[in-house]
Amino acid sequence: MAEAITERRGIPAASFVQDVQSYLTQSGLDVNSALAFLQERLQQYRVVEMKLLAQQRDLQAKIPDIEKCLDIVATLQAKKDSSEALITDFEVAEGIYSRAKIEDAESVCLWLGANVMLQYSCEEATALLQTNLENAKVSLEVLVADLQFLRDQVTITQVTTARVYNWDVHQRRLRQATTPKES
């Protein structure tokens, strides 16, 4: 039997409830408290899902940018070896472009974030960008796995909520059926 997962990277695991009566007894909750707890847990899962989806969007935007930078550095290296000048348009400000003639590019400047730019040799820039690309892809894979785990927990919690609610309805009907009716 596989060992039950209690959490994944801070996301608490939901447990499937086979026997609602036992679940309520063990948790010490009445039906309304159990339903409130499950609804609260669903809300927590939704908040985490929104954060993970935002991180996923950021990474999905970042990966093509890194790949584009790698292509640019490779183009600069190829032009450097052929001693042919590279003519390109680059964005100076939003919507404002300038044409540049790049000859013999020995180094490139990379934005590292937080208004920090550093100069690297083309080889160092390629190595750094390649590492960043690999890290971003690994992070994206982990994020996708986290989202799948989270979706499974949402489903389990929704099923548990339905089971608790249906159990309560069934118990009420049984109580009504056994209660003598007054004429």
Side-chain angles (χ1 to χ4, degrees):
M1 183 175 161
E3 186 176 317
I5 298 173
T6 57
E7 74 167 321
R8 176 183 169 87
R9 292 181 7 110
I11 303 168
S15 55
F16 180 75
V17 174
Q18 288 283 2
D19 181 11
V20 175
Q21 179 67 50
S22 298
Y23 167 72
L24 293 174
T25 304
Q26 289 173 357
S27 63
L29 299 172
D30 63 0
V31 171
N32 290 332
S33 298
L35 289 172
F37 169 76
L38 292 169
Q39 289 301 320
E40 183 179 326
R41 180 59 59 93
L42 274 174
Q43 284 302 111
Q44 292 169 347
Y45 286 147
R46 298 270 186 246
V47 169
V48 171
E49 182 180 32
M50 296 302 289
K51 289 178 183 175
L52 291 178
L53 287 171
Q55 290 175 2
Q56 183 182 31
R57 277 191 305 276
D58 291 346
L59 280 174
Q60 287 172 331
K62 187 179 185 180
I63 289 172
D65 287 345
I66 295 171
E67 289 171 338
K68 186 167 54 169
C69 288
L70 275 167
D71 289 343
I72 292 168
V73 172
T75 301
L76 286 172
Q77 284 182 304
K79 291 291 184 179
K80 179 177 73 171
D81 296 338
S82 70
S83 69
E84 181 182 330
L86 174 67
I87 298 175
T88 186
D89 294 330
F90 65 95
E91 192 171 17
V92 177
E94 189 173 332
I96 301 173
Y97 292 86
S98 180
R99 181 155 287 165
K101 182 177 180 182
I102 302 171
E103 296 175 357
D104 212 17
E106 295 294 323
S107 62
V108 295
C109 293
L110 298 178
W111 285 107
L112 299 181
N115 293 326
V116 176
M117 179 186 275
L118 288 178
Q119 183 174 357
Y120 292 95
S121 70
C122 289
E123 294 78 17
E124 290 173 329
T126 299
L128 177 66
L129 289 168
Q130 197 64 46
T131 301
N132 289 352
L133 181 62
E134 290 167 10
N135 290 342
K137 286 181 177 179
V138 167
S139 294
L140 186 59
E141 287 175 16
V142 169
L143 218 62
V144 167
D146 287 349
L147 279 166
Q148 184 57 50
F149 176 79
L150 185 62
R151 288 182 181 122
D152 290 345
Q153 303 323 298
V154 167
T155 302
I156 291 168
T157 304
Q158 288 171 334
V159 168
T160 300
T161 302
R163 289 177 62 86
V164 170
Y165 179 80
N166 291 338
W167 178 86
D168 184 44
V169 168
H170 181 70
Q171 294 303 311
R172 288 181 195 193
R173 286 184 182 158
L174 286 176
R175 283 192 298 270
Q176 285 178 347
T178 59
T179 305
K181 295 182 180 177
E182 295 180 21
S183 302

